[in-house]
Amino acid sequence: GGTTMAAVRDVEIDPDGTFKYILVRLQRPGGEEQRDIVRGTKAAEFHNHIFEKVNPEMEKLGYECKCLGGGKIDHNSKDKKIRVFGLSTGYGKADHSVTVEILKKVYTDYEITWSDDKK
């Protein structure tokens, strides 16, 4: 019955470059269980494009999704660095410190930083 939350990956971002990202909260309808995930891709021209892709995927798995905000990620896989910055016009600024903690779970050997800079 249903996929466990653990089956949903914490992070799905492009392997390199600078791109938009969103922080999404997953919740079981009526349940206490909730979890935040990070999604980002160069393919998305706007932050809502990412959400429009994630939302139906997660609904199929039985989760309600809420976008907690967005920003940009600069992913340098060669130097193993990720920088989180900027904001989403539509969703507002994600709490980048939360995003960094989630990224650290996956990119354990990276230097990951954030700022409120626009670029």
Side-chain angles (χ1 to χ4, degrees):
T3 316
T4 61
M5 272 211 182
V8 176
R9 287 197 297 201
D10 288 311
V11 178
E12 283 181 20
I13 59 171
D14 285 1
D16 235 340
T18 304
F19 45 84
K20 293 183 167 64
Y21 94 88
I22 57 172
L23 187 60
V24 179
R25 175 155 292 165
L26 303 183
Q27 199 157 5
R28 287 279 188 214
E32 288 297 295
E33 191 189 13
Q34 60 177 40
R35 190 166 140 212
D36 297 344
I37 61 171
V38 174
R39 295 290 184 268
T41 177
K42 270 183 271 205
E45 192 185 344
F46 299 107
H47 287 90
N48 63 306
H49 292 171
I50 308 172
F51 189 73
E52 282 161 14
K53 186 176 173 292
V54 175
N55 196 34
E57 286 174 10
M58 296 304 151
E59 281 182 344
K60 268 191 211 122
L61 300 175
Y63 299 113
E64 286 172 349
C65 289
K66 182 179 165 209
C67 184
L68 301 179
K72 285 187 170 174
I73 287 176
D74 181 24
H75 188 175
N76 183 334
S77 53
K78 188 169 64 75
D79 296 342
K80 297 199 169 183
K81 284 184 180 175
I82 293 177
R83 188 168 70 96
V84 185
F85 64 101
L87 52 82
S88 160
T89 318
Y91 295 120
K93 186 176 81 71
D95 185 338
H96 296 326
S97 63
V98 171
T99 303
V100 166
E101 289 312 307
I102 298 169
L103 289 168
K104 279 178 178 170
K105 290 192 218 170
V106 178
Y107 296 95
T108 49
D109 56 346
Y110 268 59
E111 182 193 322
I112 306 176
T113 57
W114 68 273
S115 77
D116 287 328
D117 298 347
K118 295 284 192 286
K119 49 172 75 161

